Amino acid sequence: MTHSLLDWQIKKTSGKTELKKDDPVSALISQAYEDYERALRRQQHALNVMSEELNALNVNLRREGDAKLAESERRFKMAAEGASDGIWDWSVPEDKLWLSPRCQEMLGRAATAFTGCINDWYARIAPEGRAKAHAFIKDCLDSRMQQSVTLPLQHEDGTSRHCLCRVTVATDSQGNIVRVIGTHTDVTEMVKVNEELKRTKAAAEAANIAKSDFLANMSHELRTPLNSIIGMTHLLMGSALPAEQRELVEAVLKGSTNLLEIVNDILDLSKIEAGEVALEKIGFDIAYVLDSTVMTLEQLAREKGLTLVGHYNPGAFPYVIGDPLRVSRVLMNLISNAIKYTEKGKIELHANITTDADGCAQLRCEVRDTGIGIGPDKLERVFDKFTQADTSTTRRYGGTGLGLAITRELVELMGGQIGVDSVLGEGSTFWFTVPFETTQEITVLRDRKKRIQQSHGSVPAASARILIAEDHPMNQILIARVMESFGISHFDIVESGRELLHRTQDKQWDMILMDCHMPEMNGYDATRGLRAREQGTTAHVPVIAMTANAMAGEREKCLRFGMDDYISKPIDIDELKDIMGQWLVFAAAEPAATAAIAEALPAGTAGDVSADMAAAPAEAVNLQRLYDFAGDDAEMVNDLINAFLAQSRKNIDSLRTSLDAEGHEKWRDAAHMLKGGAGGIGAVGLCALADQAQQAAAEEDVKKALLANIENEYIRVEKALNAARMLTGVSSNEITVATV
Amino acid sequence: MQVETVVSHALRPEGFQGKGHSKAQIVLYFLSPLYAAPGAYLAALRKAYPAARLVGCTTGGEIFGDEALESTAVSVAIFLEKAHVKVVEGNVAMRDDSRATGHALASALQADDLKFIFVLSDGLIVSGSDLVQGMVSGCGADVMIAGGLAGDGTAFQKTGVGIDVLPQSGKVAAIGFYGDSLRIGCGSVGGWINFGPERVITKAQGNVLYELDGKSALELYKKYLGEEADKLPGSAVLFPLSISPPEDPTHSIVRTPFDIDHEQASLVFSDKIPQGYVARMMHGTRDNLVQGAAQAATYASAAVGPEFQPSLALLVSCVGRNMMMGQRISSEIAAVKELLGEMPIAGFYSYGEICPHPVTRKCDLHNQTMTITLLGEQP
């Protein structure tokens, strides 16, 4: 059969074509048309069937999805109804809010009362929390993170409840926010308890701070007049008094000295309790601390007819990292205590150290006395505050009962333990342990025993030529005085590294004492220049660095720049002599000054240690240092004071004119010089402030504040020094007592 | 290697017109079930190639040069200069014997220098995939196997294979090609396109499919065939099924439905339909199928190497393609010819193509593909 299309085509072209219906080609063409149309129909049909099939699949999927959704919503509803937390669900695009029954209950309203938009929720937040709620929701929407906040909800009954609101933001696959789901947990009780706790804590803290402040202020306010009383009493005792009055004055002196001791102890303890005491962590030699403590207190024991003996092997102690001053303080307290409560016999200090493989060392010290002992019923309480073994002992021996409490606090602060064994009437053994890390380097304290072994001085001190580089006028006077006391007469002082290089060019020196921080050229560079010049020759002049930087690594720095040894400022005379002894030979029975200082030490020690304890000692100047150097030479004292005050004024002027960032170099130099001077004269507070200033950031506000402190402290120092100047007529022994 | 390909038109009085070759070792012939005088044709072949084994099969259409033909007989005489051949014959009475027969045939051919087996098999009784699996187990996976299942036009009634006699049903002929001089390359591509959703084969047994996704597979086919449903089973060839193991979708293979069982409401496929496999329906357009055929030629050329000129291209295409393309069927042969250039081309439309899987390289039975084997000898 001919295809209808071909049929039509043949008719249409009738007369113009020879193609006939019965032609074999016509059959093929018809078949091709037919095949083509059938294929097309087949494909269209397949497409239709497939569309229907896929559509049915889709409908099924949706129905299944809907069923699953309905099921999960049913479960959710059950969970929401059963939960103790309120749940709400905010559909963001259409602003529809759903609240779980529990949530409605928490808000105090029936479902009908809600319009079903997010403003319902905002409306239930108490007015004071509404801004917070808006900000919180905005933050949640912005960050799309789960967050929580505590909000005050206003209940229908007028009461307010605290509610922990946790919110989760749900987004679709394009990241658009679809819904926000929140839960409410009633935390009213918790908030109440928390606030109560906060109030209690704040009150307790405030009370504690007030107590500490009060104690610190009281102590401070008490010490100044007490010092005056003690000083004046001394003056009074120096005058001619009838025996009766002398007795009265002595009683005043004794009473006020005790009082001062109590005040100092209270101040120390309050500082420890307030956590204001920071332990140092520097390398030091325990043996040296033990030696110097025993040496210091030997005199005190001797005066009481007792012997103080150290039982330990100095070579057995490794260098450790810790706070040497605090260890020394603990030893001082325990030994002083032993001396105080022992009438006859001896005091022994036993010490040993055990080291484990990890480099941890445990120091154990025992102070054994043959004193009055402590009864077993009192043993436990001796370390408590304001407790003594017996109230009667207070009357007999004086003291505050704070000494052992402070000692225990210090030992525990260092991570150690303290205890006592005693038999009443036979004596006591106080012991303590402190753990340390061992080290190879020591920072500040000299290692005496090693140096003494190395000592091979060859130049007699009397003929030695010493060049001293020191820019501070007062320190110049001090060092000159020290040189004289060492029997050294050939010495010269220069003020800068440049000058030093100039003076060493054409003259031979046996030793150089080098201040590290000087104008024009510092000590490090000067030493380097010196060593460069010596290169290729056999010459090597010993250079001893004098630096106020008592920091770890300073010694290494000095040695690296070619210096031979190092001493930290303020200079310890004995130590300096030890160091110089490596190259010089001192005459055997020579130095009067050191002897005098040694004499002065026992009485001064208690005050010294106490001053170290306190971050800002009450006395502007620890005059002990001044008298250590000057002895009873009134002129020298006045010279030193004058030189110090003049230089310090200059330094403070410099500070005042270098507050801006550009002047920071100048500021640091002035601060350093002020620090050196203040340290030298014993103005510990001023020295500490100047140190702060030297390290301060180059910010004008910071510097201004520091300058104000420095100026105030300077006034105090000046006052104290002028007062000391007035006393120069009196013998040194009495004055040192006055500065306790 | 010397080759003579000849096409004979039964309706023309002259019959077989080849030159003949006295030393040709093997003659392949592809004989239309509509060819009027098969006996005379076979006698003419015997006369023209006295030394050769005559191995042939019935077809669903013949391929010669750049044309697809019907009602003809196409012969391919091969003279191998260095290589040699061996022909073995098997008989499959029951479908379940297929695997054992395959194993026996390949084992009989196995030798160290066996390079290639060309197999012609009955297309209705024998399970092609079982046959091939049996052969692989007999000669090892290293020997390439290609060939096809005999056809019966679009009737799916009776197919046959003959060795030195006229084709008989249930027969399998396997020709082993031996020698290092042989160069063989195979390429097989369908060009059909998946459509519609993935469906799980939920009920099937052997090569009978009952249900897809728990629903009647026959009803599904009827729905898709629409007006052509009354032409079942033949029309089902237009929608082959791509099946793959659920764990490995890349190893997909095409299966053609060729019969239906209205009582069982089932479709009978050319080969196994494993239950649990995933199936998708396929459809073809002329352009896609022609492109597929060209692709097969490209793969086969690449397999022998670009520098080597083969002496013969044996084409086994699927009868489903023939039905799908109608008068335009020759365009797939022309596309192959265009790519292969001057080279004797001969072959037939089959009920199943045998060659390595394009992805797994495992020899298998395929449906709805154009499968091309290029043969030659290195000088």
Side-chain angles (χ1 to χ4, degrees), chain A residues 536-548:
Chain A
T537 71
T538 53
H540 182 94
V541 55
V543 175
I544 294 160
M546 305 187 290
T547 167

Side-chain angles (χ1 to χ4, degrees), chain A residues 638-655:
Chain A
N638 283 337
D639 282 355
L640 284 171
I641 291 172
N642 288 341
F644 168 75
L645 291 179
Q647 182 60 43
S648 298
R649 257 181 250 125
K650 266 191 226 165
N651 293 145
I652 291 170
D653 282 344
S654 295
L655 290 178

Side-chain angles (χ1 to χ4, degrees), chain B residues 21-43:
Chain B
H21 194 295
S22 62
K23 287 193 264 178
Q25 296 101 330
I26 190 91
V27 171
L28 300 171
Y29 68 90
F30 310 116
L31 183 66
S32 166
L34 304 175
Y35 194 86
Y41 176 68
L42 196 67

Side-chain angles (χ1 to χ4, degrees), chain A residues 27-35 38-39 41-43 45-47 49-54 57, chain B residues 195-197 199 215 220 222-228 231 238-239 283-285 323-327:
Chain A
L28 283 173
I29 294 171
S30 287
Q31 184 62 45
Y33 280 160
E34 178 57 34
D35 285 352
R38 196 189 310 119
R41 278 202 302 277
R42 186 192 306 133
Q43 288 201 348
H45 177 75
L47 189 65
V49 172
M50 189 168 68
S51 299
E52 272 167 35
E53 203 183 1
L54 291 178
L57 265 173
Chain B
F195 78 101
R199 303 163 208 266
K215 282 179 236 155
L220 184 77
K222 281 182 176 167
K223 218 160 75 180
Y224 270 92
L225 284 167
E227 61 175 79
E228 292 175 302
K231 288 185 190 138
L238 299 169
F239 292 118
H283 74 119
T285 64
M323 290 166 71
M324 159 70 214
M325 288 204 271
Q327 286 183 45

Side-chain angles (χ1 to χ4, degrees), chain A residues 179-482:
Chain A
R179 57 209 287 203
V180 177
I181 301 123
T183 62
H184 284 176
T185 311
D186 193 331
V187 292
T188 310
E189 286 309 305
M190 216 161 79
V191 169
K192 261 191 208 157
V193 171
N194 264 347
E195 277 171 4
E196 194 58 38
L197 273 176
K198 263 189 214 160
R199 261 200 300 279
T200 315
K201 195 172 167 230
E205 277 171 356
N208 201 35
I209 290 168
K211 187 195 88 180
S212 296
D213 283 356
F214 173 75
L215 281 176
N217 288 337
M218 274 307 285
S219 308
H220 199 218
E221 294 305 320
L222 283 172
R223 289 215 297 192
T224 314
L226 265 176
N227 275 324
S228 302
I229 291 169
I230 292 168
M232 297 306 159
T233 313
H234 268 285
L235 284 177
L236 204 53
M237 282 180 70
S239 61
L241 284 175
E244 204 173 294
Q245 285 184 11
R246 177 169 295 275
E247 254 178 55
L248 291 173
V249 172
E250 270 173 7
V252 170
L253 184 62
K254 196 175 173 199
S256 48
T257 310
N258 276 343
L259 192 53
L260 183 62
E261 199 185 318
I262 292 169
V263 169
N264 282 338
D265 281 355
I266 290 173
L267 185 60
D268 290 348
L269 195 63
S270 65
K271 274 180 194 297
I272 295 175
E273 285 191 337
E276 283 173 19
V277 172
L279 290 177
E280 279 225 73
K281 282 195 124 189
I282 53 174
F284 72 98
D285 181 5
I286 294 176
Y288 174 60
V289 172
L290 294 170
D291 282 348
S292 58
T293 309
V294 170
M295 262 167 60
T296 304
L297 293 175
E298 259 172 354
Q299 176 68 15
L300 190 66
R302 237 189 339 264
E303 278 171 5
K304 242 188 129 176
L306 306 168
T307 48
L308 169 58
V309 192
H311 289 274
Y312 51 84
N313 173 13
F317 293 93
Y319 295 153
V320 296
I321 296 172
D323 190 332
L325 282 178
R326 268 59 194 247
V327 175
S328 165
R329 173 79 193 266
V330 168
L331 281 168
M332 286 272 187
N333 282 2
L334 291 180
I335 297 173
S336 312
N337 230 33
I339 294 172
K340 191 161 153 191
Y341 294 110
T342 304
E343 295 301 336
K344 58 180 183 184
K346 59 181 180 178
I347 320 283
E348 291 174 7
L349 171 61
H350 294 259
N352 66 61
I353 198 156
T354 50
T355 313
D356 67 18
D358 299 333
C360 290
Q362 176 97 355
L363 172 69
R364 183 182 168 94
C365 293
E366 286 180 9
V367 177
R368 299 180 190 163
D369 65 44
T370 54
I372 55 171
I374 306 163
D377 53 328
K378 306 278 172 25
L379 267 181
E380 280 178 17
R381 284 168 48 217
V382 293
F383 293 106
D384 291 351
K385 275 175 262 182
F386 302 108
T387 302
Q388 283 179 331
D390 196 325
T391 39
S392 62
T393 54
T394 315
R395 285 193 296 277
R396 203 163 133 209
Y397 298 101
T400 58
L402 281 176
L404 283 175
I406 293 170
T407 307
R408 183 179 66 177
E409 295 277 358
L410 281 176
V411 169
E412 286 175 357
L413 197 62
M414 292 189 281
Q417 288 179 313
I418 191 164
V420 59
D421 305 310
S422 185
V423 177
L424 195 61
E426 287 183 15
S428 311
T429 298
F430 281 84
W431 58 265
F432 70 92
T433 62
V434 177
F436 291 108
E437 262 178 65
T438 58
T439 179
Q440 299 301 320
E441 298 292 335
I442 55 172
T443 314
V444 174
L445 292 178
R446 302 301 317 176
D447 174 8
R448 254 170 226 247
K449 54 186 186 289
K450 279 193 186 158
R451 196 170 45 252
I452 287 161
Q453 282 159 11
Q454 286 166 5
S455 173
H456 45 69
S458 54
V459 181
S463 63
R465 296 152 302 173
I466 315 284
L467 182 59
I468 299 155
E470 169 61 66
D471 61 326
H472 196 290
M474 186 204 68
N475 284 340
Q476 289 173 357
I477 297 171
L478 281 177
I479 196 78
R481 167 78 188 193
V482 170

Side-chain angles (χ1 to χ4, degrees), chain B residues 55-83:
Chain B
V55 180
C57 67
T58 57
T59 72
E62 303 77 53
I63 296 168
F64 183 83
D66 60 356
E67 265 197 294
L69 307 165
E70 52 186 282
S71 312
T72 68
V74 169
S75 65
V76 181
I78 300 167
F79 169 67
L80 296 161
E81 277 149 302
K82 291 179 182 157

